[in-house]
Amino acid sequence: MGYVYAALWFIVGMILVFKMGKENKAFFAVGGFFFFWGVWQTLNEVLEIDMYSGIYGWIHKGVALLALILCILVVYGERKKSANSVGNSQSSKTNDSEKSDKE
């Protein structure tokens, strides 16, 4: 059953990176984490070591935390950039209307 989960994480990662990545850069970070999760799940199935407990579990939790922080930063940056571009386009429309009023 673990191989099904590993395949699921790889498929979700591929969809996020290749399909959704064009829309927003945040999907690259999330998709990368799902690729990592697929590798981790595959290693859990192939190796005789439980990759979700002990030191390996803490490594997985640490990488998950770093991926979460990275995703939050990327989403925040994208929203800030899109808000600036919307603000700039609205201010340029205002400037254009002021110019036409003066003429």
Side-chain angles (χ1 to χ4, degrees), residues 33-101:
F33 175 68
F34 278 109
F35 281 129
F36 167 77
W37 204 354
V39 169
W40 202 265
Q41 183 68 36
T42 303
L43 288 175
N44 189 46
E45 292 300 315
V46 172
L47 302 176
E48 295 181 11
I49 303 169
D50 184 14
M51 297 295 288
Y52 292 104
S53 65
I55 188 69
Y56 299 111
W58 284 104
I59 292 170
H60 185 265
K61 290 173 189 172
V63 170
L65 179 64
L66 290 175
L68 177 65
I69 292 169
L70 175 68
C71 291
I72 289 171
L73 292 174
V74 170
V75 168
Y76 177 74
E78 287 290 316
R79 284 194 177 183
K80 189 174 180 181
K81 187 177 13 172
S82 67
N84 286 342
S85 66
V86 168
N88 289 341
S89 66
Q90 287 178 352
S91 66
S92 67
K93 288 179 184 177
T94 305
N95 290 341
D96 291 342
S97 64
E98 288 175 0
K99 287 179 186 177
S100 64
D101 291 341

